[in-house]
Amino acid sequence: MALRYEYAVETEDLAKYYVMGPVTVRALDGVSVKIRRSEYLSIMGPSGSGKTTFFNMVGGLDRPTRGKVFIDEVDIASLDAYELAWLRAKKIGYIFQTFNLIPVLTALENVTLPMVFTGVEREERLRRAREMLTRVGLGERLDHKPGELSGGQQQRVAIARALVNDPVIVLADEPTGNLDLHTGLEIINLLKTLNTEKKVTIINATHDLKMIDVSDRIFWLRDGKIERIETRAEVAVKEIE
Amino acid sequence: MSGEEGVKFPLSEAFSFSLESIKRRFGRALVTMASIVLGISFLTFLLTTGRIVSVLYGEGSGVAVQFYQLWMAVIALLICSVGIVNSMLMSVTERYKEIGTMKCLGAMNTHVLEIFLIEALLLGLIGGLIGAVAGWTIATVWQAFTQASPVNIFMVSASLWTEFNASNPLLLLANPLIDIALSVVIALLAALAPAYIAAKLSPTEALRYEV
């Protein structure tokens, strides 16, 4: 890519309302933020604060009621189905709380899947998937199916799958939500290492406070609005006080 | 975004994906296939028997017999379709979550549709083949054992495979090859509706879906 934009993600007055009978739920209510390239960002807030909605909008998985999302300065609402699929395949890597691996495929096959859609040759696919799985510490478990792996290992497969196409952004929705304290910490550190190594922007929607220690910035979300934005240093100072 | 960029999913890739999916979920595929095999063998059995009896006792055995046979064929077709629709519906809905994941990884609606239709085509073809051959064989052997001239019966029954007289629907349906084609068509139609709905879901809706 010739041009390097300063911001990987920008949102403008982003809002998503759900109409449930007579009630309109404002899941996201006017969020305008700028997320820099290779930033490690955490979006924190209690459940129901709109974290997952933000994740879905930025990831192009759902359409906003109002406002815009720019990825690499491209308004994703202007993309047709073909371009949107390319965005999901190439520019964004997704990590979910429930891992969402394909249960009948092996770890290796799960990681090759995104490369099928970006048209990588079969041999090259296998080579890169093996390399990526080795990188996340699963070089010995390539041929295991998700059911034969622990939660932490499954999440490592999901991380490998999210990063294998060298995306601009990795979006993670509660990546440690289904993991115990120790495994969760391992996953957080792995994400941080990959963020530093590959210069990939990582956006976490989480309420795991362990995430603060590695985040460059933290967006505090409440009732669909940004309550405040802090850097790690500011959070640390508060803790000392 | 420049021109050469864009998601790819060639038909060969879709085909191998569908084939693998059937292999890996062989138990599930067997259940779906069983309903196709049963339906088609029932249909073929009835029509083959009907043909043999008609030829043995002459076509002149009456309009009532003809009508009765057609009616039986329609019922057999309905039973077979309901079974196939039901199992196709199940096999698509239980994979909503997988569809959501695939769409997050870059699959487009048409790719999802392709995967399911190729699967239905394969299941319809294999199930139809087994069903038609089984139904025809059972009907022929049964008749040969219970009637006077087994050689004659086999000749009549064998001739059904090359019968393509489109003017008589009963005669045409009695051709096991037509029943195999019918099996493929029913399987495709049965998979089309749920696969279309699944393919059109947004990734978040598909991921949220709990069976």
Side-chain angles (χ1 to χ4, degrees), chain A residues 190-210:
Chain A
L190 176 65
L191 282 172
K192 181 63 189 175
T193 316
L194 292 166
N195 162 251
T196 322
E197 262 175 31
K198 292 185 173 271
K199 306 273 175 240
V200 59
T201 314
I202 297 195
I203 302 172
N204 287 295
T206 183
H207 52 225
D208 187 343
L209 294 172
K210 296 193 290 297

mmCIF file of all heavy atoms in Angstrom, chain A residues 190-210:
data_model
loop_
_atom_site.group_PDB
_atom_site.id
_atom_site.type_symbol
_atom_site.label_atom_id
_atom_site.label_comp_id
_atom_site.label_asym_id
_atom_site.label_seq_id
_atom_site.Cartn_x
_atom_site.Cartn_y
_atom_site.Cartn_z
ATOM 1 N N LEU A 190 -0.401 -12.146 24.186
ATOM 2 C CA LEU A 190 -0.177 -12.560 22.798
ATOM 3 C C LEU A 190 -0.651 -11.470 21.841
ATOM 4 O O LEU A 190 0.055 -11.103 20.900
ATOM 5 C CB LEU A 190 -0.911 -13.872 22.521
ATOM 6 C CG LEU A 190 -0.844 -14.378 21.079
ATOM 7 C CD1 LEU A 190 0.589 -14.732 20.699
ATOM 8 C CD2 LEU A 190 -1.736 -15.600 20.884
ATOM 9 N N LEU A 191 -1.835 -10.929 22.121
ATOM 10 C CA LEU A 191 -2.379 -9.861 21.273
ATOM 11 C C LEU A 191 -1.451 -8.650 21.277
ATOM 12 O O LEU A 191 -1.198 -8.040 20.241
ATOM 13 C CB LEU A 191 -3.771 -9.449 21.751
ATOM 14 C CG LEU A 191 -4.926 -10.385 21.375
ATOM 15 C CD1 LEU A 191 -6.208 -9.965 22.072
ATOM 16 C CD2 LEU A 191 -5.134 -10.415 19.868
ATOM 17 N N LYS A 192 -0.932 -8.320 22.460
ATOM 18 C CA LYS A 192 -0.035 -7.155 22.584
ATOM 19 C C LYS A 192 1.253 -7.387 21.793
ATOM 20 O O LYS A 192 1.731 -6.489 21.103
ATOM 21 C CB LYS A 192 0.273 -6.901 24.070
ATOM 22 C CG LYS A 192 1.170 -5.705 24.308
ATOM 23 C CD LYS A 192 0.501 -4.420 23.845
ATOM 24 C CE LYS A 192 1.467 -3.250 23.864
ATOM 25 N NZ LYS A 192 0.840 -2.044 23.308
ATOM 26 N N THR A 193 1.811 -8.608 21.902
ATOM 27 C CA THR A 193 3.041 -8.924 21.174
ATOM 28 C C THR A 193 2.831 -8.789 19.671
ATOM 29 O O THR A 193 3.647 -8.201 18.957
ATOM 30 C CB THR A 193 3.491 -10.367 21.472
ATOM 31 O OG1 THR A 193 3.358 -10.594 22.872
ATOM 32 C CG2 THR A 193 4.929 -10.599 21.051
ATOM 33 N N LEU A 194 1.701 -9.344 19.191
ATOM 34 C CA LEU A 194 1.408 -9.293 17.752
ATOM 35 C C LEU A 194 1.185 -7.856 17.300
ATOM 36 O O LEU A 194 1.569 -7.471 16.203
ATOM 37 C CB LEU A 194 0.190 -10.156 17.430
ATOM 38 C CG LEU A 194 0.427 -11.661 17.599
ATOM 39 C CD1 LEU A 194 -0.884 -12.428 17.598
ATOM 40 C CD2 LEU A 194 1.351 -12.177 16.512
ATOM 41 N N ASN A 195 0.574 -7.058 18.170
ATOM 42 C CA ASN A 195 0.341 -5.647 17.890
ATOM 43 C C ASN A 195 1.678 -4.921 17.691
ATOM 44 O O ASN A 195 1.855 -4.154 16.755
ATOM 45 C CB ASN A 195 -0.470 -5.048 19.060
ATOM 46 C CG ASN A 195 -0.411 -3.539 19.122
ATOM 47 O OD1 ASN A 195 0.211 -2.980 20.011
ATOM 48 N ND2 ASN A 195 -1.061 -2.885 18.171
ATOM 49 N N THR A 196 2.638 -5.214 18.558
ATOM 50 C CA THR A 196 3.949 -4.561 18.463
ATOM 51 C C THR A 196 4.723 -5.071 17.248
ATOM 52 O O THR A 196 5.293 -4.288 16.494
ATOM 53 C CB THR A 196 4.771 -4.850 19.744
ATOM 54 O OG1 THR A 196 3.880 -4.825 20.854
ATOM 55 C CG2 THR A 196 5.857 -3.832 19.938
ATOM 56 N N GLU A 197 4.692 -6.391 17.052
ATOM 57 C CA GLU A 197 5.453 -7.008 15.960
ATOM 58 C C GLU A 197 4.932 -6.619 14.579
ATOM 59 O O GLU A 197 5.690 -6.259 13.692
ATOM 60 C CB GLU A 197 5.342 -8.535 16.052
ATOM 61 C CG GLU A 197 6.500 -9.194 16.724
ATOM 62 C CD GLU A 197 6.251 -10.673 16.888
ATOM 63 O OE1 GLU A 197 5.549 -11.267 16.032
ATOM 64 O OE2 GLU A 197 6.730 -11.239 17.879
ATOM 65 N N LYS A 198 3.630 -6.743 14.417
ATOM 66 C CA LYS A 198 3.048 -6.578 13.085
ATOM 67 C C LYS A 198 2.482 -5.194 12.844
ATOM 68 O O LYS A 198 1.965 -4.920 11.764
ATOM 69 C CB LYS A 198 1.941 -7.622 12.871
ATOM 70 C CG LYS A 198 2.479 -9.023 12.793
ATOM 71 C CD LYS A 198 1.378 -10.015 12.461
ATOM 72 C CE LYS A 198 1.914 -11.389 12.203
ATOM 73 N NZ LYS A 198 2.272 -11.622 10.799
ATOM 74 N N LYS A 199 2.544 -4.332 13.848
ATOM 75 C CA LYS A 199 2.030 -2.964 13.738
ATOM 76 C C LYS A 199 0.543 -2.943 13.356
ATOM 77 O O LYS A 199 0.089 -2.039 12.657
ATOM 78 C CB LYS A 199 2.813 -2.149 12.680
ATOM 79 C CG LYS A 199 4.306 -2.150 12.895
ATOM 80 C CD LYS A 199 4.722 -1.034 13.830
ATOM 81 C CE LYS A 199 6.202 -1.105 14.154
ATOM 82 N NZ LYS A 199 6.464 -1.272 15.576
ATOM 83 N N VAL A 200 -0.177 -3.950 13.776
ATOM 84 C CA VAL A 200 -1.595 -4.020 13.432
ATOM 85 C C VAL A 200 -2.414 -3.316 14.520
ATOM 86 O O VAL A 200 -2.056 -3.369 15.696
ATOM 87 C CB VAL A 200 -2.041 -5.497 13.246
ATOM 88 C CG1 VAL A 200 -1.804 -6.309 14.506
ATOM 89 C CG2 VAL A 200 -3.505 -5.589 12.833
ATOM 90 N N THR A 201 -3.439 -2.598 14.099
ATOM 91 C CA THR A 201 -4.312 -1.917 15.047
ATOM 92 C C THR A 201 -5.196 -2.956 15.736
ATOM 93 O O THR A 201 -5.811 -3.774 15.055
ATOM 94 C CB THR A 201 -5.231 -0.927 14.306
ATOM 95 O OG1 THR A 201 -4.443 -0.189 13.395
ATOM 96 C CG2 THR A 201 -5.956 -0.017 15.263
ATOM 97 N N ILE A 202 -5.229 -2.929 17.053
ATOM 98 C CA ILE A 202 -6.075 -3.895 17.753
ATOM 99 C C ILE A 202 -7.130 -3.157 18.563
ATOM 100 O O ILE A 202 -6.822 -2.262 19.352
ATOM 101 C CB ILE A 202 -5.238 -4.837 18.640
ATOM 102 C CG1 ILE A 202 -4.309 -5.656 17.738
ATOM 103 C CG2 ILE A 202 -6.154 -5.736 19.485
ATOM 104 C CD1 ILE A 202 -3.676 -6.848 18.367
ATOM 105 N N ILE A 203 -8.383 -3.493 18.335
ATOM 106 C CA ILE A 203 -9.489 -2.856 19.049
ATOM 107 C C ILE A 203 -10.218 -3.927 19.842
ATOM 108 O O ILE A 203 -10.762 -4.880 19.274
ATOM 109 C CB ILE A 203 -10.458 -2.171 18.060
ATOM 110 C CG1 ILE A 203 -9.701 -1.128 17.219
ATOM 111 C CG2 ILE A 203 -11.614 -1.515 18.814
ATOM 112 C CD1 ILE A 203 -10.520 -0.540 16.087
ATOM 113 N N ASN A 204 -10.187 -3.792 21.151
ATOM 114 C CA ASN A 204 -10.841 -4.762 22.020
ATOM 115 C C ASN A 204 -12.109 -4.175 22.607
ATOM 116 O O ASN A 204 -12.078 -3.095 23.176
ATOM 117 C CB ASN A 204 -9.946 -5.087 23.214
ATOM 118 C CG ASN A 204 -8.772 -5.942 22.824
ATOM 119 O OD1 ASN A 204 -8.940 -7.076 22.408
ATOM 120 N ND2 ASN A 204 -7.581 -5.378 22.955
ATOM 121 N N ALA A 205 -13.206 -4.886 22.512
ATOM 122 C CA ALA A 205 -14.381 -4.540 23.307
ATOM 123 C C ALA A 205 -14.331 -5.472 24.499
ATOM 124 O O ALA A 205 -14.318 -6.683 24.327
ATOM 125 C CB ALA A 205 -15.645 -4.772 22.501
ATOM 126 N N THR A 206 -14.234 -4.919 25.683
ATOM 127 C CA THR A 206 -13.998 -5.802 26.829
ATOM 128 C C THR A 206 -14.446 -5.176 28.139
ATOM 129 O O THR A 206 -14.602 -3.956 28.244
ATOM 130 C CB THR A 206 -12.487 -6.135 26.921
ATOM 131 O OG1 THR A 206 -12.265 -7.050 27.986
ATOM 132 C CG2 THR A 206 -11.646 -4.901 27.154
ATOM 133 N N HIS A 207 -14.677 -5.995 29.171
ATOM 134 C CA HIS A 207 -14.729 -5.402 30.507
ATOM 135 C C HIS A 207 -13.705 -6.072 31.422
ATOM 136 O O HIS A 207 -13.818 -6.039 32.627
ATOM 137 C CB HIS A 207 -16.147 -5.369 31.104
ATOM 138 C CG HIS A 207 -16.869 -6.663 31.101
ATOM 139 N ND1 HIS A 207 -18.177 -6.773 30.716
ATOM 140 C CD2 HIS A 207 -16.481 -7.902 31.429
ATOM 141 C CE1 HIS A 207 -18.552 -8.027 30.813
ATOM 142 N NE2 HIS A 207 -17.549 -8.733 31.237
ATOM 143 N N ASP A 208 -12.702 -6.652 30.776
ATOM 144 C CA ASP A 208 -11.610 -7.293 31.497
ATOM 145 C C ASP A 208 -10.565 -6.214 31.848
ATOM 146 O O ASP A 208 -9.891 -5.683 30.975
ATOM 147 C CB ASP A 208 -11.002 -8.363 30.584
ATOM 148 C CG ASP A 208 -9.975 -9.212 31.291
ATOM 149 O OD1 ASP A 208 -9.504 -8.777 32.371
ATOM 150 O OD2 ASP A 208 -9.652 -10.287 30.779
ATOM 151 N N LEU A 209 -10.433 -5.907 33.141
ATOM 152 C CA LEU A 209 -9.548 -4.808 33.548
ATOM 153 C C LEU A 209 -8.073 -5.125 33.318
ATOM 154 O O LEU A 209 -7.234 -4.227 33.281
ATOM 155 C CB LEU A 209 -9.795 -4.441 35.012
ATOM 156 C CG LEU A 209 -11.192 -3.847 35.284
ATOM 157 C CD1 LEU A 209 -11.430 -3.688 36.777
ATOM 158 C CD2 LEU A 209 -11.375 -2.512 34.571
ATOM 159 N N LYS A 210 -7.747 -6.421 33.156
ATOM 160 C CA LYS A 210 -6.354 -6.798 32.855
ATOM 161 C C LYS A 210 -5.883 -6.156 31.552
ATOM 162 O O LYS A 210 -4.708 -5.962 31.326
ATOM 163 C CB LYS A 210 -6.234 -8.333 32.694
ATOM 164 C CG LYS A 210 -6.540 -9.109 33.950
ATOM 165 C CD LYS A 210 -6.097 -10.567 33.821
ATOM 166 C CE LYS A 210 -6.911 -11.430 32.868
ATOM 167 N NZ LYS A 210 -8.326 -11.609 33.228
#
